[in-house]
């Protein structure tokens, strides 16, 4: 996607040919800054501190973290250590493990001396695949939006999204936002209700930033407001991303997704989840019991980064001093509340049978 | 309730005998400051700008606003003008109209020359009645908490609340928080999940401040998190206030209440609404269609007041510059999602029959 007229991905190899550069998402929307990552520790820190975030981008960053580790030591033992360090950076997104597994599968058969170039080539392919996958998700999602548009000719299609599942969450395009960009580009009038997505405001900062840069009409709302708009017929569909989806279609996504899915269900609004198949954890069936939910720092709730009137940014306290806070980062939306899963191979029901139909070779 | 060991109400007549003093709730939790209101315009501005908020306190402030207007001009025409100005300050809370109607009913039969002392006496009684009403709501709600506590002996009762329906929303005690204070005082172990309640953070600022001052265990969470805790059995009941309840039990309350009620319903968690009967609008039956929802400034979404590390407070921007925002202040929770209404006369189902049983003389 373009920033100030220049095409960007969210992660790329620097001109030195080995370190990588990412967009520092903790500074958006107030500043667009890139940040070099020159070691596995840099990569791990970028993931943990959410300099990079979004399930697909976390996977890509981990893949390059592994590459940088192998430059120091390409032995089997070092490969295992690097894997273990990176896979533990964040617990919920399964793409992280998936990407690292892809890397290890490619690297194990290669003698240590030959591993570094293979690793960089595999990481690059992983990024290219992510772009192609999201482009396919976009096309399949577009047909859903087109159907809605055809049922209300000349009128705007109102779409609600939660958190950021746009190109900033991926290498490019995005998952949930890819269909929206394609609909906009195809001339379908769309308007997006952007949940601000407390506590880290990925909606109000990242999604609004992306949509604004692309010229897509949107309105930022607090996370509390979506149900009200659904009650009043002002939401035609919801679409969100996911950090892990079970083999039965339960969906872990940013905290609060479950509440929007309940409201969609209560008001007959279709609720779609967009995902690359790398986000499916084929080994589990019960999202509520089996997906580990990351508990992040209470400070993300009690404090927020904002911009002062002089343009500088500062972290301010929001809450009564001394009051404790809790910060679960994700929740699980049961499959029964999901209208359909939008994957790179098409749209399917959020059921074991639905997923099996599209991914017979992996569904077991 | 006590602040720094001193007993306060949220509104009182100043030593001069005619102006009134309120706690400036826009400065909490960072500073405890009082603010004098010396005219009807001061009172109207305090309500609009949310220096005072909470349905019962809005009513009390409007009542004193009327008193101050009559000191200038006690004619019938002036009384009508004052009524019209005050009743338009905020559209959703029906207590505002109720309180003003009570005042006018007491004042109309009195000749203009005698109206001022009658007005002050009526306003004072309105405040005293609010305290007594909330104390009764607290006792009825306490029995619900006591029942839950008896079913899990020795364990903490976890209660989720949204926004602030505590003593800061009323003259004293609070509606939804009154039962919690009484349970705590009775030695029942309670813990409150406090929704921060964006955009104005009445939970993270006011409710957490109140509970902390009274020594009640609590945890601030983002508005997105309550459903997750309900899914995991960590919420025993929800209790919230309301700004207007229909004759059939639909409940308008702070935006986001509906989402929590959906989650409670989905997880079998009882969802109670605490209210003085002055909050019931006996003239309407369909909350979704008939209750006007106030749209407040987008700036409340895009900017927030926080405290810098030096202790000063500042308003900071949170969102991508140029992105529009919308700010509906309330939503409507349909009666079907409400387990019970906790009133000053007892607990009843959120139905016409339930309300009629308790308030036969008003239900018509």
């Amino acid at each position: 996607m373009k920033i100030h007229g220049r095409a960007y991905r969210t992660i790329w190899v620097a001109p030195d040919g080995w370190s990588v550069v990412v967009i520092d998402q903790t500074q958006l929307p107030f500043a667009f800054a890139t940040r070099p990552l020159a070691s596995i520790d840099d990569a791990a820190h970028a993931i943990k501190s959410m300099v990079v975030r979004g399930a697909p981008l976390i996977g890509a960053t981990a893949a390059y973290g592994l590459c940088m580790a192998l430059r120091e030591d390409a032995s089997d033992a070092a490969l295992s250590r690097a894997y273990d360090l990176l896979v533990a950076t964040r617990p919920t997104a399964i793409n992280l493990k998936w990407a690292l597994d892809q890397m290890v599968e490619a690297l194990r058969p290669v003698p240590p001396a030959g591993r570094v170039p293979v690793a960089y080539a595999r990481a690059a392919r992983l990024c290219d695949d992510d772009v192609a996958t999201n482009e396919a998700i976009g096309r399949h999602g577009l047909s859903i939006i087109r159907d809605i548009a055809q049922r209300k000719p000349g009128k705007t299609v109102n779409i609600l999204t939660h958190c950021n599942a746009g190109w900033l969450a991926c290498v490019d395009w995005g998952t949930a936002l890819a269909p929206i960009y394609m609909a906009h580009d195809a001339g379908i009038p769309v308007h997006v209700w952007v949940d601000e997505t407390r506590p880290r405001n990925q909606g109000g900062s990242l999604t609004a930033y992306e949509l604004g840069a692309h010229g897509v009409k949107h309105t930022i709302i607090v996370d509390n407001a979506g149900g009200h708009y659904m009650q009043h017929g002002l939401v035609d569909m919801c679409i969100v991303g996911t950090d892990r989806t079970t083999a039965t279609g339960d969906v872990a996504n940013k905290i609060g997704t479950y509440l929007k899915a309940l409201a969609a269900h209560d008001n007959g609004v279709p609720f779609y989840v967009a995902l690359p198949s790398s986000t499916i954890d084929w080994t589990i069936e019960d999202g509520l019991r089996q997906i580990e939910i990351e508990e992040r720092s209470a400070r993300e709730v009690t404090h927020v980064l904002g911009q002062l009137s002089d343009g500088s940014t500062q972290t301010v306290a929001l809450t009564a001093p001394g009051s404790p806070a809790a910060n679960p980062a994700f929740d699980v939306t049961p499959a029964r509340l999901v209208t359909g899963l939008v994957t790179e191979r098409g749209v399917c029901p959020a059921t074991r049978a639905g997923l099996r139909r599209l991914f017979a070779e992996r569904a077991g």
Side-chain angles (χ1 to χ4, degrees), chain A residues 236-249:
Chain A
D236 295 302
M237 67 179 277
C238 302
I239 188 163
V240 299
T242 165
D243 294 79
R244 194 184 313 198
T245 292
T246 67
T248 54

Side-chain angles (χ1 to χ4, degrees), chain A residues 112-130:
Chain A
R115 279 179 178 165
V116 169
V118 173
Y120 276 92
R122 186 69 192 87
R125 185 153 72 82
L126 209 136
C127 289
D128 290 345
D129 287 352
D130 182 67

Side-chain angles (χ1 to χ4, degrees), chain A residues 33-338:
Chain A
T34 59
R35 182 191 280 226
L37 308 178
S39 67
I40 180 174
D41 289 337
D42 283 359
H45 181 263
I47 297 170
K48 277 188 201 169
S49 64
M50 296 177 69
V51 165
V52 293
R53 26 65 55 203
L57 179 55
I58 288 170
T61 307
Y64 278 115
L66 201 69
C67 295
M68 292 188 282
L70 294 181
R71 288 184 76 242
E72 307 286 322
D73 180 349
S75 67
D76 283 3
L79 182 59
S80 290
R81 276 199 307 275
Y83 181 100
D84 292 346
L85 186 151
L86 289 161
V87 85
T89 47
R90 293 194 69 191
T92 304
I94 192 70
N95 304 58
L96 175 60
K97 180 174 184 304
W98 175 86
L100 289 167
D101 285 343
Q102 298 291 308
M103 294 294 289
V104 168
E105 195 179 300
L107 290 165
R108 280 268 183 235
V110 180
R115 279 179 178 165
V116 169
V118 173
Y120 276 92
R122 186 69 192 87
R125 185 153 72 82
L126 209 136
C127 289
D128 290 345
D129 287 352
D130 182 67
V131 178
T133 293
N134 292 341
E135 198 269 341
I137 289 170
R139 277 187 287 104
H140 295 302
L142 169 60
S143 67
I144 297 170
I145 298 174
R146 203 186 290 279
D147 286 350
I148 293 170
Q150 280 168 355
R151 290 199 299 273
K152 48 187 297 193
K155 293 198 179 149
T156 297
V157 179
N158 289 298
I159 304 173
L160 183 141
T161 192
H162 190 71
C163 198
N164 174 263
W167 72 271
L168 287 167
C170 304
V171 178
D172 206 346
W173 272 113
T175 53
L177 297 193
I180 294 171
Y181 289 128
M182 289 187 191
H184 174 83
D185 293 349
I188 299 171
V190 290
H191 164 261
V192 184
W193 296 110
V194 179
D195 280 358
E196 65 172 351
T197 318
R198 284 278 295 151
R200 290 187 65 109
N201 293 347
Q202 292 98 332
S205 55
L206 307 180
T207 298
Y209 178 84
E210 279 195 28
L211 293 172
H214 200 81
V216 179
K217 269 197 216 165
H218 63 283
T219 305
I220 299 171
I221 54 176
V222 296
D223 302 304
N224 285 323
H228 169 72
Y229 288 116
M230 293 188 219
Q231 286 178 311
H232 289 274
L234 295 168
V235 181
D236 295 302
M237 67 179 277
C238 302
I239 188 163
V240 299
T242 165
D243 294 79
R244 194 184 313 198
T245 292
T246 67
T248 54
D250 291 344
V251 171
N253 190 44
K254 183 56 53 193
I255 191 78
T257 301
Y258 166 56
L259 296 172
K260 295 307 149 59
L262 283 169
H265 187 76
D266 199 45
N267 292 285
V269 174
F271 189 93
Y272 290 97
V273 179
L275 67 156
S277 58
S278 53
T279 303
I280 303 166
D281 186 343
W282 298 101
T283 68
I284 60 173
E285 305 195 337
D286 182 336
L288 266 179
R289 289 169 190 237
Q290 294 181 285
I291 297 177
E292 182 187 351
I293 300 298
E294 178 180 8
E295 179 74 26
R296 293 185 60 85
S297 163
R299 198 176 155 87
E300 293 185 350
V301 176
T302 59
H303 290 69
V304 74
L305 179 74
Q307 187 172 43
L308 304 183
S309 49
D310 66 4
S312 65
T313 55
Q314 188 127 13
T315 298
V316 298
L318 295 177
T319 54
S323 284
N327 185 15
F330 303 92
D331 62 19
V332 172
T333 299
R336 65 184 151 87
L337 301 176
V338 178

